[in-house]
Amino acid sequence: MNQNDSYCYPYPHPAVTTDVVLFTIRGEALSILLIRRGNPPYRGMWALPGGFLDIGEDLEACAKRELQEETGIEGVYLEQLYTFGKPERDPRERVISIAYFALTQSDRLKLKPASDATRAAWFPVDQLPELAFDHADIIQLARSRLLAKLNYSTIAFQILPSRFTLSQLQSVYEILLNERLDKRNFRKGILARGIIKETGEFSRNGSHRPAKTYAVVNPTRVEIIK
Amino acid sequence: MNQNDSYCYPYPHPAVTTDVVLFTIRGEALSILLIRRGNPPYRGMWALPGGFLDIGEDLEACAKRELQEETGIEGVYLEQLYTFGKPERDPRERVISIAYFALTQSDRLKLKPASDATRAAWFPVDQLPELAFDHADIIQLARSRLLAKLNYSTIAFQILPSRFTLSQLQSVYEILLNERLDKRNFRKGILARGIIKETGEFSRNGSHRPAKTYAVVNPTRVEIIK
DNA sequence: TCAAAAGTGTTAGGCTTACACCCATGC
DNA sequence: GCATGGGTGTAAGCCTAACACTTTTGA
């Protein structure tokens, strides 16, 4: 036993980490935040932000803390995704990872400058680099969960500022679903659900008619609808 | 350090367990399998079947093994539910539990005789005893997940034998949803999805007309439908 | 005055829901 | 022959999907 190995148990214990798949829309592309690893294993490869659970720390708090430490991002919507635990998924030791997925609007992205040889960057989901560990699997699951939740929850609003136009909202749906939607039907459908309301203010954005802005009626939480 | 504490790490590691919420229908009631605890903590109280992960064991394999060891039940449909990890959820040490939910038909229930002071029994979900740990929370989440999946997956068939009548199937839906359904509309709807087919055989069950029996077209897997 | 995005209704068809009686069997 | 659950169709209304032009602004 190494002298530093000071935490001992009568049975072997796995390590526990959290990893976060943070989505946003940049330009016209759904994108994910990745970290370039500064240490082995997979040194120099890209990976999801995440890291080891502190022993007295709640799981979600760990995910938030790691995200903050590695990228400076705070206050995003976070939801548990799935727990990955294949025995060989980490070459160092047995590691169980509780994966979270998160959404944020792109203008809240103040990436921390590179520190201790790690570096964060956004990648469009269709142009991901090779990924460390089983992080490609995690991202794939996060994408399908995000898609599924689009149609029965208010999750899409997490990707927009608190006031937005219907065109912006439609654009979010179109990018996530990767399909064009009919403008009149989209507006009718969204408004009929009663989950957003007019703010009374307008967005003046260029040489065209100003757009009404809307806000979520209950902005505090992602809800299951319909 | 205790002499028996032979597994040592440079940082503290939590323990990892799996717990299983196994549903079935008994009589007219949705029911859950519980184990009476033979050891502290919560000795003598009822709890979900489950236990500690072996260090080289896959998560789902752990859930299946614990279910088998504690109840003798094998080959049930199992799906990861959520990971519970509040720091104080176990008084012994930090324990992360990956919860699974499972369904089985009631005639596959060959409960093992009581062994090493543990004992398994079925409880209707509306008549649960006081539960150890945070197991009441786990069960509540499992119930809502089960309900949600009823309408967009083939999960309900896991609770029936491989050949069943439409009346049996309707009864499963009615018990899970806790509401009466229209017979003609239910049959139309189920048959229109094309997920079950007639077997050509009949169930002769009492002093009334025999019922056609049906089987799932693709019995290998629970699918997302519609 | 032109370009660019915002805003707005109607119709056809499909899906959902409500609803009641005859059928085959065992006793 | 009667009690028991099995089996079947239709019509109304609601929801969904298709579809094009006018409005407001800045340059």
Side-chain angles (χ1 to χ4, degrees), chain B residues 139-193:
Chain B
I139 290 170
Q140 191 174 342
L141 185 65
R143 287 183 69 178
S144 63
R145 180 85 134 256
L146 174 60
L147 265 275
K149 293 205 86 162
L150 248 201
N151 287 312
Y152 68 90
S153 79
T154 57
I155 202 166
F157 299 104
Q158 297 296 328
I159 225 163
L160 287 171
S162 60
R163 299 188 163 197
F164 52 85
T165 68
L166 291 181
S167 293
Q168 289 176 309
L169 182 61
Q170 182 173 346
S171 168
V172 168
Y173 274 83
E174 288 181 339
I175 289 166
L176 295 182
L177 295 171
N178 196 30
E179 81 185 64
R180 299 297 315 271
L181 302 173
D182 180 85
K183 196 190 338 185
R184 279 170 292 190
N185 292 340
F186 179 79
R187 289 169 180 231
K188 237 182 305 174
I190 287 285
L191 294 173
R193 295 187 202 180

Side-chain angles (χ1 to χ4, degrees), chain A residues 62-123:
Chain A
C62 175
K64 286 182 171 160
R65 175 180 56 76
E66 292 284 352
L67 194 58
Q68 204 283 325
E69 288 178 7
E70 294 184 335
T71 69
I73 291 170
E74 286 183 330
V76 302
Y77 170 74
L78 204 65
E79 172 179 325
Q80 192 182 303
L81 173 65
Y82 195 80
T83 297
F84 291 80
K86 285 217 167 64
E88 306 305 331
R89 61 182 293 283
D90 191 311
R92 293 167 291 188
E93 63 178 318
R94 181 72 194 276
V95 178
I96 309 299
S97 179
I98 298 121
Y100 283 79
F101 84 93
L103 286 92
T104 190
Q105 65 217 59
S106 30
D107 57 3
R108 296 187 55 203
L109 314 172
K110 296 282 150 62
L111 291 190
K112 223 180 173 180
S115 68
D116 54 312
T118 65
R119 196 171 81 179
W122 294 96
F123 289 83

Side-chain angles (χ1 to χ4, degrees), chain A residues 111-178:
Chain A
L111 291 190
K112 223 180 173 180
S115 68
D116 54 312
T118 65
R119 196 171 81 179
W122 294 96
F123 289 83
V125 290
D126 294 324
Q127 298 166 47
L128 295 178
E130 200 188 350
L131 289 155
F133 306 106
D134 52 3
H135 289 186
D137 297 336
I138 299 178
I139 289 170
Q140 191 173 343
L141 184 65
R143 288 184 69 178
S144 63
R145 180 87 133 253
L146 174 60
L147 263 276
K149 293 204 87 163
L150 248 202
N151 287 313
Y152 67 89
S153 80
T154 57
I155 201 166
F157 299 103
Q158 297 297 328
I159 227 164
L160 287 171
S162 60
R163 300 188 162 196
F164 50 86
T165 68
L166 290 181
S167 293
Q168 290 177 308
L169 182 61
Q170 182 173 346
S171 169
V172 168
Y173 274 83
E174 288 181 340
I175 289 167
L176 295 182
L177 295 171
N178 196 30

Side-chain angles (χ1 to χ4, degrees), chain A residues 32-78:
Chain A
I32 287 174
L33 186 70
L34 297 176
I35 302 287
R36 187 191 280 277
R37 290 183 57 79
N39 296 305
Y42 299 103
R43 181 179 207 141
M45 281 180 74
W46 294 92
L48 294 171
F52 290 95
L53 177 73
D54 288 346
I55 197 67
E57 181 180 46
D58 192 44
L59 299 175
E60 187 169 316
C62 175
K64 286 182 171 160
R65 175 180 56 76
E66 292 284 352
L67 194 58
Q68 204 283 325
E69 288 178 7
E70 294 184 335
T71 69
I73 291 170
E74 286 183 330
V76 302
Y77 170 74
L78 204 65

Side-chain angles (χ1 to χ4, degrees), chain B residues 64-177:
Chain B
K64 286 182 171 161
R65 175 180 55 75
E66 292 285 351
L67 194 58
Q68 203 283 326
E69 288 178 8
E70 293 184 335
T71 69
I73 290 169
E74 286 183 330
V76 302
Y77 170 74
L78 205 65
E79 173 179 325
Q80 191 181 302
L81 173 64
Y82 195 80
T83 296
F84 292 80
K86 284 215 167 64
E88 306 306 330
R89 61 183 293 283
D90 191 309
R92 293 167 290 187
E93 63 177 319
R94 181 72 194 276
V95 178
I96 310 298
S97 180
I98 297 121
Y100 283 79
F101 85 92
L103 287 93
T104 189
Q105 65 217 60
S106 30
D107 57 2
R108 297 187 54 202
L109 314 172
K110 297 281 151 59
L111 292 190
K112 221 182 175 181
S115 68
D116 56 312
T118 65
R119 196 170 79 178
W122 293 97
F123 289 82
V125 289
D126 294 323
Q127 298 166 47
L128 296 179
E130 201 189 348
L131 288 154
F133 306 105
D134 52 3
H135 288 186
D137 297 335
I138 299 177
I139 290 170
Q140 191 174 342
L141 185 65
R143 287 183 69 178
S144 63
R145 180 85 134 256
L146 174 60
L147 265 275
K149 293 205 86 162
L150 248 201
N151 287 312
Y152 68 90
S153 79
T154 57
I155 202 166
F157 299 104
Q158 297 296 328
I159 225 163
L160 287 171
S162 60
R163 299 188 163 197
F164 52 85
T165 68
L166 291 181
S167 293
Q168 289 176 309
L169 182 61
Q170 182 173 346
S171 168
V172 168
Y173 274 83
E174 288 181 339
I175 289 166
L176 295 182
L177 295 171

Side-chain angles (χ1 to χ4, degrees), chain B residues 19-34:
Chain B
D19 288 305
V20 179
V21 184
L22 177 61
F23 291 102
T24 199
I25 291 176
R26 286 163 51 85
E28 304 288 290
L30 179 63
S31 299
I32 287 173
L33 187 70
L34 298 176

